[in-house]
Amino acid sequence: MTGILEYSFMQNAFMAAVLVSVACGLVGTYVVVKRIVFISGGISHAAFGGIGLGYFLGVNPILAAIPFSIISALLMGLTSKKVKISEDTAIGILWSLGMAIGIIFINLTPGYVPDLMSYLFGSILTVPVNDLIIMFILDIIIIIMVILFQREFQGISFDEEFSQVMGMPTTVIYLLLLSLVALSVVVMIKVVGVILVIALLTIPAAIAKQYTYHLGRMMILSVILGMILTTGGLYISYLFNLASGATIVLVLGLGFLVSLLIQKLME
């Protein structure tokens, strides 16, 4: 392990693994408890529209994906709350539109798009320092928002109707939570890609939920599990020359199955 850390790209990769673990641990806990996995998947795929816009405008696709993802998250949240169509239908429509917009922008971009696949399926080994800085800043924002709105997020996650009766602006808090999901998606895109983001966002928190129902402990355990499984997947992908994003997700899935087995044995 110490040998591969001599390479700067591997140092960047392991740093990226740690940064995404913080985002998926904190926000992923709310995603699992609130049961908004599907809408999180919609946000992650809609983020591809921002990536395409970034290529078209000639700016960093990660930077372009930030406002696009937040707007997509707000539209999904408002549509599911205000429009008289089912939530899954609204999410499915905006999910498809985001992907379509990204494809159109990439098609309009002159020349060849060299690293498009890294945004679709992840390429943690090619994460540059600039993207690490963006990921770090987004992590700080997520941590601050989780601390500031801890009670509100907890309220709408466990009992949104009661929170509304108590006078909490539940719609605003819900939209704020979806915005944090959008920021988390942007943090994770370069590691596992748009297609696989939902696994990284949900599996560590799903494992942690099997061992505790306390939200704070669940977050801490989820962050730790994310770091262990993500760096483990990264190390395996390096050893066997496998696709890093897919390998990380497979290790996450294996970790979940092992956890289920442990739970069965403890019964």
Side-chain angles (χ1 to χ4, degrees):
M1 176 68 78
T2 54
I4 64 175
L5 289 177
E6 294 176 358
Y7 304 104
S8 60
F9 73 92
M10 287 303 299
Q11 294 171 7
N12 290 350
F14 276 100
M15 183 60 69
V18 171
L19 292 173
V20 300
S21 298
V22 173
C24 74
L26 297 179
V27 179
T29 297
Y30 289 120
V31 169
V32 171
V33 172
K34 178 67 174 167
R35 298 180 181 179
I36 53 173
V37 175
F38 186 51
I39 195 169
S40 301
I43 294 170
S44 68
H45 284 73
F48 187 69
I51 293 169
L53 179 62
Y55 276 116
F56 180 73
L57 296 177
V59 300
N60 188 331
I62 294 295
L63 286 176
I66 294 173
F68 199 95
S69 300
I70 292 175
I71 292 171
S72 299
L74 295 177
L75 285 174
M76 288 184 190
L78 288 172
T79 303
S80 63
K81 293 283 187 182
K82 304 297 183 181
V83 181
K84 293 182 179 180
I85 59 175
S86 63
E87 185 177 51
D88 59 340
T89 301
I91 295 167
I93 292 170
L94 292 170
W95 176 324
S96 304
L97 284 175
M99 292 290 289
I101 290 170
I103 293 169
I104 293 297
F105 276 126
I106 290 171
N107 186 59
L108 293 174
T109 303
Y112 173 68
V113 179
D115 56 347
L116 177 61
M117 295 297 286
S118 69
Y119 291 102
L120 284 172
F121 301 104
S123 182
I124 193 172
L125 298 178
T126 62
V127 176
V129 175
N130 289 341
D131 284 356
L132 286 177
I133 294 172
I134 295 171
M135 293 163 70
F136 177 76
I137 293 172
L138 293 180
D139 268 358
I140 295 298
I141 293 172
I142 290 169
I143 292 170
I144 292 172
M145 298 304 290
V146 167
I147 292 173
L148 289 178
F149 295 94
Q150 179 183 1
R151 290 180 56 193
E152 289 81 359
F153 289 151
Q154 185 171 341
I156 66 168
S157 295
F158 287 106
D159 196 334
E160 185 171 347
E161 291 183 0
F162 178 75
S163 298
Q164 188 172 11
V165 170
M166 295 298 293
M168 184 185 296
T170 53
T171 299
V172 174
I173 298 300
Y174 178 62
L175 293 177
L176 181 59
L177 178 58
L178 292 185
S179 298
L180 292 188
V181 172
L183 293 181
S184 301
V185 164
V186 175
V187 172
M188 300 175 197
I189 281 177
K190 280 292 279 187
V191 175
V192 293
V194 167
I195 307 298
L196 303 174
V197 155
I198 194 169
L200 188 55
L201 192 59
T202 56
I203 292 178
I207 297 174
K209 190 181 178 185
Q210 296 174 3
Y211 298 93
T212 179
Y213 287 102
H214 186 277
L215 208 61
R217 286 193 287 268
M218 195 184 301
M219 286 181 177
I220 294 171
L221 182 56
S222 180
V223 170
I224 294 171
L225 287 169
M227 290 181 182
I228 294 171
L229 296 173
T230 305
T231 54
L234 172 60
Y235 185 60
I236 292 172
S237 71
Y238 176 83
L239 287 180
F240 297 100
N241 195 27
L242 300 171
S244 56
T247 305
I248 288 170
V249 171
L250 284 175
V251 170
L252 287 167
L254 180 61
F256 182 75
L257 292 176
V258 170
S259 179
L260 286 179
L261 180 60
I262 292 172
Q263 289 293 308
K264 281 292 183 182
L265 294 174
M266 290 174 62
E267 290 179 355

